[in-house]
Amino acid sequence: MKNKNTFENFIKKKIQTVDSLSKISRNKKINNKKIVLCHGTFDLLHAGHFRHFQDSKNLGDVLVVTITSDKFINKGPGRPLFNQFLRAEMIASLSYVDYVGVIDDPSAIPSIKKIKPDIYVKGIDYKDKKSDFTKKIIEEEKEVKKNGGVLKFTDNITFSSSSLINENIFSYEKKLSKILENYKSLGFTYITSLIEKIKNLRVMLIGDSILDEYIYTDTLGKSAKESILATLKKNEEIFAGGSIAAANNISDFCKSVFLITTLGSTTKTNEEFIKSQLSPNIKLCSTKLKNRPITKKTRFVDSSYMRKMFEVYDMDDSPIDKNEEKKIISAIKKNLPFIDLIIITDFGHGLLNNKIIEEIYKSKTFLAINAQTNSANRGYNLITKYKSADYICIDEPEFRLAMHDKNTSLKKLLLNSNNLPKAKVFIVTTGKNGCLIKTKEKILEIPAFTNTVVDTIGAGDAFFVISSLFAYLNTSPMDIGFIGNVSGALKVKILGHSSSIKKSHFLKFIESVIK
């Protein structure tokens, strides 16, 4: 027992914070020790990792290994297989590893900045820097050189952790496995070729702006004098949501986004905040609405489990006046000559009236539509307010409300949905069950990726807007549904709208699941 405790303490001493590793590195360098750094996920340790660490240690005196923390890993459902603490312990148990750290970043940049290694080491598969679509290796090398270090590559036996996990540990649902096998046979380059085709797209996105506020609380219990739940406020956070979040989620995939929205008679602080949240390639074309606030949805969240308890709306969704309507139509007309497709994210908070919709149809531009049902408009903002589109995507409750049918099986209902607006591709999303796609020939079913859910807010919007770009390409309906499911799986790992979906994360996810 004594030996066991001694070994555990030895392991724990090896695992340090990045600030401690910075001090250790400085002290070692004073004593002329050469610092070697490796960084990665290292989810499933295998022979390739062992050889990589051994070869790295031989290049210097002190080997430091840093790992990406759980929340920054985008390698598909169920990943990481082992949490950051177990991964750190497993690596620290290796005799030739001197120190281990956990980094809150998908790249090694924070490690390199703090540790300033003499040598930064990657595996041989990173030697062709152009093949790294995340471009992290190029940025990492620049940071290493800035501090006087060099980048080196080990050339030993290699394995793919993702392939080992997919082949030997994970067992996807049968239908999903069949789809993944299809993309595996097509090859990862098939996906990258689609990404290449949308990179120069210019998009007009039209929809309501929303501020999403999260107030984190600890539950105290029932009030002693009233039948209400008492909570203690801990902290709060506000995100730019609605069409703003939707625009951010496509901004990394296309050339430019013209965002047509309204801000209400918002305060200067709110307006500045919204503008600060937009990606650089988004052009904001906003109309201020008189005597009404920007729509704000405040959610009270149990901080222990990050579960939403209830929400409060601050909004005025009464019809816009004629002058405001003219300004919105003018903004649409002004930007139409510069765009390839229009995406409507209709949250039903007053922006999209009949006249504006008619003006959009006049353009005869590729049109993708989502008409959302939420607490403020249930039953009043249906897809039936539109006559047609090239691509329509709504969720199951929205579809059932439009069909006035609560109980019929979804497949059967979708087959008989001829009274709804016509679309080349019509998708109904079903949350954790994936999506159903109606085409001219049949109904396709694309299962969802089982994934760790942090927050579902905006997942359906991410599915819709990103898949809209691929619908524009007239690629197969299966591609559109698959890409939508990947987008939704990535979004549910993000708290609120604290960050948007990046192309590199999207590609990394797909690369990992089809290996």
Side-chain angles (χ1 to χ4, degrees), residues 314-325:
D314 180 12
M315 64 178 287
D316 179 352
D317 59 355
S318 56
I320 57 176
D321 66 32
K322 295 295 180 185
N323 187 46
E324 293 161 347
E325 181 186 87

Side-chain angles (χ1 to χ4, degrees), residues 55 108 120 155 214 217 235 263 280 299 353 371 403 409 412 449 464-465 470 494 513:
D55 291 349
Y120 177 54
D155 188 3
Y214 280 26
T217 67
N235 60 303
L263 295 182
R299 295 168 176 88
N353 64 19
M403 290 294 291
S409 77
K412 187 177 179 181
F449 294 95
F464 165 61
V465 293
F470 295 87
I494 299 170
V513 297

Side-chain angles (χ1 to χ4, degrees), residues 45 108 127 159 171 293-294 318 320 323 362 372 374 427 452 466:
L45 281 183
K127 196 163 188 177
F159 298 97
S171 178
I294 183 172
S318 56
I320 57 176
N323 187 46
K362 284 179 188 176
Q372 189 179 112
N374 51 54
I427 291 185
T452 304
I466 293 175

Side-chain angles (χ1 to χ4, degrees), residues 76-80 449-455 489-494:
R79 302 288 302 275
F449 294 95
T450 309
N451 210 307
T452 304
V453 176
V454 174
D455 192 353
L490 287 168
K491 183 63 188 74
V492 296
K493 289 189 75 175
I494 299 170

Side-chain angles (χ1 to χ4, degrees), residues 8-76:
E8 286 177 351
N9 290 333
F10 174 67
I11 296 299
K12 286 177 182 177
K13 284 180 182 177
K14 280 187 168 188
I15 301 171
Q16 299 287 333
T17 65
V18 69
D19 288 328
S20 296
L21 291 174
S22 178
K23 292 176 185 176
I24 290 167
S25 178
R26 282 200 303 271
N27 292 334
K28 296 288 184 183
K29 284 185 175 184
I30 290 170
N31 294 313
N32 296 316
K33 299 293 184 183
K34 192 174 284 187
I35 308 298
V36 182
L37 173 67
C38 295
H39 179 85
T41 302
F42 306 120
D43 193 6
L44 181 67
L45 281 183
H46 52 66
H49 292 143
F50 300 149
R51 298 280 184 91
H52 175 63
F53 294 146
Q54 285 175 328
D55 291 349
S56 298
K57 180 62 180 282
N58 291 336
L59 296 171
D61 302 301
V62 179
L63 175 59
V64 180
V65 178
T66 55
I67 63 173
T68 294
S69 64
D70 297 349
K71 65 182 178 181
F72 287 95
I73 293 173
N74 292 297
K75 292 198 173 187

Side-chain angles (χ1 to χ4, degrees), residues 317-364:
D317 59 355
S318 56
I320 57 176
D321 66 32
K322 295 295 180 185
N323 187 46
E324 293 161 347
E325 181 186 87
K326 284 179 183 176
K327 287 180 181 178
I328 294 165
I329 290 173
S330 175
I332 292 170
K333 285 182 174 179
K334 182 181 176 182
N335 291 291
L336 271 174
F338 310 106
I339 61 107
D340 299 299
L341 70 152
I342 298 172
I343 298 176
I344 292 178
T345 54
D346 186 351
F347 293 92
H349 297 324
L351 168 60
L352 285 141
N353 64 19
N354 289 337
K355 196 156 185 181
I356 291 170
I357 293 169
E358 284 173 18
E359 199 61 46
I360 292 167
Y361 277 122
K362 284 179 188 176
S363 72
K364 299 191 184 302

Side-chain angles (χ1 to χ4, degrees), residues 254-493:
C254 58
K255 185 176 183 179
S256 59
V257 182
F258 294 89
L259 175 57
I260 309 290
T261 190
T262 55
L263 295 182
S265 52
T266 185
T267 64
K268 189 177 180 182
T269 304
N270 278 344
E271 190 171 352
E272 287 174 353
F273 168 73
I274 287 166
K275 287 178 179 177
S276 73
Q277 298 303 297
L278 293 171
S279 297
N281 63 335
I282 298 175
K283 179 185 175 183
L284 179 63
C285 307
S286 60
T287 299
K288 286 189 179 180
L289 304 180
K290 294 177 186 176
N291 305 316
R292 70 173 79 190
I294 183 172
T295 298
K296 183 179 177 183
K297 301 178 182 181
T298 301
R299 295 168 176 88
F300 288 80
V301 184
D302 178 356
S303 61
S304 300
Y305 298 99
M306 300 308 289
R307 290 175 183 157
K308 301 183 191 77
M309 297 182 291
F310 64 94
E311 65 181 340
V312 177
Y313 277 52
D314 180 12
M315 64 178 287
D316 179 352
D317 59 355
S318 56
I320 57 176
D321 66 32
K322 295 295 180 185
N323 187 46
E324 293 161 347
E325 181 186 87
K326 284 179 183 176
K327 287 180 181 178
I328 294 165
I329 290 173
S330 175
I332 292 170
K333 285 182 174 179
K334 182 181 176 182
N335 291 291
L336 271 174
F338 310 106
I339 61 107
D340 299 299
L341 70 152
I342 298 172
I343 298 176
I344 292 178
T345 54
D346 186 351
F347 293 92
H349 297 324
L351 168 60
L352 285 141
N353 64 19
N354 289 337
K355 196 156 185 181
I356 291 170
I357 293 169
E358 284 173 18
E359 199 61 46
I360 292 167
Y361 277 122
K362 284 179 188 176
S363 72
K364 299 191 184 302
T365 306
F366 183 96
L367 182 60
I369 301 174
N370 167 260
Q372 189 179 112
T373 288
N374 51 54
S375 305
N377 65 32
R378 188 168 177 83
Y380 294 100
N381 192 56
L382 303 178
I383 195 65
T384 49
K385 71 192 276 190
Y386 298 93
K387 59 186 178 184
S388 65
D390 294 282
Y391 174 46
I392 290 174
C393 178
I394 54 178
D395 68 22
E396 184 177 355
E398 291 158 355
F399 175 68
R400 288 189 177 279
L401 279 169
M403 290 294 291
H404 309 291
D405 192 314
K406 184 179 179 181
N407 300 310
T408 303
S409 77
L410 192 54
K411 273 189 179 180
K412 187 177 179 181
L413 205 56
L414 196 52
L415 281 168
N416 296 301
S417 58
N418 297 326
N419 60 325
L420 294 189
K422 299 293 183 289
K424 291 176 186 174
V425 179
F426 196 118
I427 291 185
V428 177
T429 59
T430 57
K432 65 180 182 180
N433 295 316
C435 66
L436 294 179
I437 308 170
K438 181 182 181 180
T439 66
K440 288 180 180 177
E441 299 82 21
K442 56 183 177 179
I443 303 292
L444 295 175
E445 187 175 355
I446 313 290
F449 294 95
T450 309
N451 210 307
T452 304
V453 176
V454 174
D455 192 353
T456 59
I457 186 173
D461 303 332
F463 180 114
F464 165 61
V465 293
I466 293 175
S467 63
S468 293
L469 303 178
F470 295 87
Y472 172 81
L473 296 179
N474 202 28
T475 188
S476 77
M478 181 179 284
D479 289 345
I480 299 165
F482 175 74
I483 282 159
N485 279 350
V486 170
S487 306
L490 287 168
K491 183 63 188 74
V492 296
K493 289 189 75 175

